[in-house]
Amino acid sequence: MAARKDTPPPAAVRTQEYAAGVGWEIGQTAPEDAFRVLNEQGTGAPTGPVVHTHPGGYARQIVTKGAVVTAGVRRELDAAEDEG
């Protein structure tokens, strides 16, 4: 019987990864900060459109410039568009 030859396992090949770019779609890098004004009644419900500088008063920051846009961020942006 012939001696068995040990062969190394095949090397794992990584797929090429590309940056998703800059924009407001999921996985992209946010081009600027995004905020949404919160109501003044104390319930914290978002009102009004998305703005890109802090509007003063009560506001929630949705995403910071350079951060990855997640599904939650995209939902918040869509909700603001639907209301406005």
Side-chain angles (χ1 to χ4, degrees), residues 20-66:
V22 176
W24 295 108
E25 296 304 317
I26 296 171
Q28 292 184 324
T29 301
E32 54 190 323
D33 293 344
F35 297 89
R36 194 134 185 240
V37 175
L38 300 177
N39 70 5
E40 296 179 8
Q41 287 77 27
T43 62
T47 60
V50 170
V51 294
H52 300 289
T53 57
H54 195 285
Y58 298 106
R60 175 172 57 208
Q61 187 164 14
I62 300 168
V63 67
T64 59
K65 179 179 180 176

Side-chain angles (χ1 to χ4, degrees), residues 5 14 16 26 32 38 43 45-46 52 56 66 70 72 76 78 81:
K5 192 175 190 183
R14 288 183 49 199
Q16 184 67 34
I26 296 171
E32 54 190 323
L38 300 177
T43 62
H52 300 289
T70 63
E76 185 80 30
D78 291 342
E81 286 179 16

